[in-house]
Amino acid sequence: MKIHSGTLTLGYDDHGSGRPLVLVHGYPHNRSLWAEQSQALSDAARVLAVDLRGHGESDAPDGPYSMDVFADDCAHLLDVLGIHQPVVF
């Protein structure tokens, strides 16, 4: 799946229901790193795996990229999906 926000598109997966669990990959990976865990955990939680900007199916706008930028992207994803409750990262 993808969300579009202004000039940025983020790729993500959304499986299961219940308390949101957000899985974030490290460099230089993408959300496919979490495929098995996403499926296995989807019986217990709503599992969201995101491609950070510059990775996987997400756009790669000009940088610089920082942890703050990645965190803002994750927060935006949650806002667009209407998730306003505490999540597990």
Side-chain angles (χ1 to χ4, degrees), residues 52 66-77 89:
L52 298 174
S66 68
M67 294 304 285
D68 288 337
V69 169
F70 292 145
D72 288 344
D73 290 346
C74 290
H76 182 72
L77 171 69
F89 273 87

Side-chain angles (χ1 to χ4, degrees), residues 11-45:
Y12 72 99
D13 292 327
D14 187 348
H15 300 286
S17 61
R19 185 168 186 182
L21 168 63
V22 180
L23 303 176
V24 180
H25 62 82
Y27 179 82
H29 303 287
N30 59 52
R31 73 182 191 263
S32 68
L33 174 74
W34 298 111
E36 290 183 32
Q37 291 87 349
S38 293
Q39 291 299 321
L41 294 169
S42 65
D43 289 339

